[in-house]
Amino acid sequence: MKDILNPSDPRVIRTRNLIVDAFAYLLKIKDFNSITINDITNKATINRTTFYAHFPDKYALIDGYLSNSFIEFVYRRVESNATLNEETIKNIVISLCEFHEASNKRCMKSYDSISPHLEKNTKIQLENFLSQLLTKSCTESARRSLDLAITMLTWSIYGVTYRWNMDGRIESPQVLAEKILPMLKGYLEHKIN
């Protein structure tokens, strides 16, 4: 049934928004693991068949809910035509800190239970973004060996900002970015040149 939905139909958009809004509300008051399809459909005032026409399960819903949220934070600070340099890395770190903070507020009751989904989605988005930046700033022969470097950079930045968030966000995102930049500086100089 999902295949026959027209994603540009206003009714489909409205129903999908009802589902996502109901889910967002439930994330504030319940743990993700305890949210049921019945909870979502009751809050969205739809039936189960309608829910399943849009999403196969609540895991697809959380993936859809989180799918582009991080990259929106990045594009607020990083120009679309940027290359990978110290300023870009700093802005990515700050963006990720702001994203963790906003996600914490959006999902007060569920942050711990959605963090694996959040991590997966964010790492995919960050990896894609870094890949775009790195391929702009390196030679054709170097592009083939970038996958490992992109993964290392993605996991490093995500890990540091995740720890920052879990430790209570004691310092500002700007201070954190300044602290980790020297650790990445050698990598940046090697990859950019």
Side-chain angles (χ1 to χ4, degrees):
M1 185 171 194
K2 187 176 179 178
D3 296 322
I4 62 172
L5 293 178
N6 177 357
S8 60
D9 182 331
R11 294 169 296 174
V12 171
I13 294 168
R14 186 172 40 255
T15 302
R16 193 172 186 87
N17 287 340
L18 280 172
I19 294 168
V20 171
D21 290 347
F23 184 63
Y25 171 79
L26 291 167
L27 283 173
K28 289 182 181 181
I29 62 169
K30 292 181 87 169
D31 184 80
F32 170 74
N33 294 324
S34 67
I35 295 173
T36 65
I37 301 301
N38 196 45
D39 293 334
I40 298 166
T41 58
N42 285 341
K43 183 67 183 162
T45 63
I46 60 167
N47 62 43
R48 290 175 74 82
T49 304
T50 302
F51 175 87
Y52 289 119
H54 291 268
F55 298 98
D57 54 32
K58 73 177 186 177
Y59 300 99
L61 175 55
I62 189 78
D63 286 344
Y65 180 67
L66 299 172
S67 66
N68 289 319
S69 50
F70 164 63
I71 210 67
E72 292 169 7
F73 279 82
V74 172
Y75 284 132
R76 290 180 197 162
R77 292 191 169 271
V78 179
E79 296 291 323
S80 59
N81 62 348
T83 57
L84 191 63
N85 57 36
E86 289 182 32
E87 189 64 25
T88 303
I89 289 290
K90 214 161 83 173
N91 285 325
I92 290 171
V93 170
I94 293 167
S95 298
L96 194 45
C97 288
E98 291 170 346
F99 173 69
H100 280 300
E101 200 167 13
S103 297
N104 234 353
K105 289 176 185 170
R106 272 193 328 197
C107 311
M108 300 257 289
K109 291 282 186 185
S110 289
Y111 191 78
D112 288 340
S113 63
I114 70 158
S115 63
H117 303 282
L118 187 72
E119 178 178 345
K120 179 185 82 170
N121 277 286
T122 304
K123 283 180 179 174
I124 289 169
Q125 292 172 56
L126 181 55
E127 201 166 272
N128 290 337
F129 186 72
L130 290 172
S131 179
Q132 291 170 0
L133 294 178
L134 279 171
T135 55
K136 289 179 188 177
S137 62
C138 68
T139 65
E140 183 65 37
S141 62
R143 288 182 189 177
R144 286 180 237 119
S145 65
L146 284 177
D147 287 343
L148 184 58
I150 291 168
T151 300
M152 289 173 56
L153 191 56
T154 297
W155 285 57
S156 297
I157 293 171
Y158 185 86
V160 167
T161 58
Y162 178 80
R163 172 65 65 173
W164 169 86
N165 185 54
M166 296 310 286
D167 289 347
R169 302 181 297 275
I170 295 168
E171 58 207 355
S172 73
Q174 291 78 6
V175 169
L176 179 67
E178 291 291 337
K179 273 186 178 177
I180 68 170
L181 200 54
M183 297 174 214
L184 300 172
K185 193 172 184 173
Y187 167 80
L188 290 172
E189 289 169 354
H190 179 264
K191 283 297 167 194
I192 290 172
N193 296 325

